Amino acid sequence: MSIVVVGSINADLTVNVERHPFPGETLLGGGGGITPGGKGANQAVAAARLGSEVFLVGAVGEDAHAHEATHLLIDAGVDLSAVEVSPKPTGLAVITVAADGENTVMVVPGANGDVGAGVVDKHAALIADAELVLLQGEIPADGFARAVELAEGRVVVNLAPVIDVDRDALKQADPLIVNEHEAQLVLGKEASPEECLEELLAEFSSVVVTLGADGALVGNADGIVRIASPTVVAVDSVGAGDAFTGALCHRLLKGDSLVEAAAFASRVGAFSVTRPGAQPSYPNYSQLRLENGAE
């Protein structure tokens, strides 16, 4: 049972600051190191570290950042045979992390902009054979729509960032995963997370709204359930949503219900914020120290 992630691969440039700057303000920061990132790559690593067989459809450049962007994918065992090499630079994310762990992210797509319908079509058989196809919002909309069209297994979408994609393609998501801000953007209106979830369920068969330290809301035909998050001391929230998404997909393939998978994913997301970086913070099962021999 395999997961095929069709998504982005980035090099993350991280700067640590006491607080986020105001517009026009200059602050001194620390860090400045490059680590692997990209929502597609992050979610692939999160699922692979937990034991899923994961393939990644994406693109990197021929620049020095390509190695930095992919070495933890390789270490986690993600199959990169469907990753194209582009003349464009490897995608770059510039991340600022404040002392309270809150972050802001600016993304330069680079080679990720190549992952349109043409590149997706080159890997049609791989996508069609997948038990689960996982998508985000960091590739072109036509690549997103084509991947959904090709998928014969379950489609999971973490629409982050919220881009303008074909609505019918988006509705194939089971579940649609968004945070509370993205939920409002998908709906095109301001509303509470609970209100957003109820309205989204009129269009989608299942929805997960993540709430950071407050856990998540899970909704489907069985109703709406609030999932609590473990209480931890946050060091860096970068990539926590991706840890959640990758872990949720892993557990769905193990046969968990959506609520069960989201409860497990909340633990993985909470674990990830206790360590710096995105992919470097993602756990395997032994690190989670799961009770009762859970797999």
Side-chain angles (χ1 to χ4, degrees), residues 20-86:
H20 295 296
F22 296 110
E25 182 183 18
T26 299
L27 293 179
L28 293 178
I34 298 289
T35 56
K39 299 196 73 65
N42 288 350
Q43 293 171 16
V45 168
R49 284 230 177 116
L50 294 167
S52 284
E53 181 183 26
V54 183
F55 298 81
L56 179 58
V57 178
V60 295
E62 297 179 281
D63 54 338
H65 284 163
H67 170 73
E68 291 295 335
T70 57
H71 76 276
L72 287 185
L73 286 160
I74 295 168
D75 181 71
V78 177
D79 189 307
L80 302 183
S81 59
V83 172
E84 304 286 326
V85 177
S86 169

Side-chain angles (χ1 to χ4, degrees), residues 50-263:
L50 294 167
S52 284
E53 181 183 26
V54 183
F55 298 81
L56 179 58
V57 178
V60 295
E62 297 179 281
D63 54 338
H65 284 163
H67 170 73
E68 291 295 335
T70 57
H71 76 276
L72 287 185
L73 286 160
I74 295 168
D75 181 71
V78 177
D79 189 307
L80 302 183
S81 59
V83 172
E84 304 286 326
V85 177
S86 169
K88 298 176 183 176
T90 300
L92 178 68
V94 181
I95 302 165
T96 58
V97 182
D100 63 0
E102 192 61 48
N103 68 84
T104 62
V105 184
M106 294 168 287
V107 177
V108 181
N112 297 313
D114 286 352
V115 190
V119 164
V120 170
D121 268 329
K122 291 175 64 175
H123 308 288
L126 177 67
I127 294 168
D129 287 343
E131 184 79 9
L132 185 152
V133 175
L134 174 57
L135 294 151
Q136 313 80 29
E138 289 185 338
I139 62 169
D142 65 326
F144 178 102
R146 183 59 177 148
V148 173
E149 184 180 0
L150 291 168
E152 296 182 8
R154 187 170 192 161
V155 174
V156 177
V157 176
N158 173 216
L159 194 62
V162 177
I163 62 171
D164 186 13
V165 296
D166 180 83
R167 197 73 173 189
D168 289 335
L170 184 60
K171 287 180 182 179
Q172 301 307 306
D174 181 22
L176 171 70
I177 304 171
V178 286
N179 66 26
E180 53 193 305
H181 309 295
E182 293 155 356
Q184 294 180 55
L185 290 172
V186 172
L187 284 174
K189 61 185 291 187
E190 292 187 6
S192 70
E194 294 79 6
E195 291 168 336
C196 287
L197 181 58
E198 289 181 0
E199 289 200 38
L200 287 170
L201 285 172
E203 287 190 86
F204 297 88
S205 59
S206 63
V207 178
V208 177
V209 179
T210 59
L211 304 171
D214 291 328
L217 294 169
V218 178
N220 57 20
D222 296 327
I224 295 174
V225 176
R226 178 177 284 272
I227 303 295
S229 176
T231 301
V232 297
V233 177
V235 172
D236 182 356
S237 62
V238 171
D242 296 332
F244 178 99
T245 298
L248 183 141
C249 290
H250 168 75
R251 289 307 308 183
L252 288 176
L253 284 193
K254 286 285 188 179
D256 281 6
S257 69
L258 184 57
V259 170
E260 291 169 334

Side-chain angles (χ1 to χ4, degrees), residues 14-19 26-32 96-97:
T14 302
V15 179
N16 299 306
V17 292
E18 278 298 311
R19 58 172 176 80
T26 299
L27 293 179
L28 293 178
T96 58
V97 182

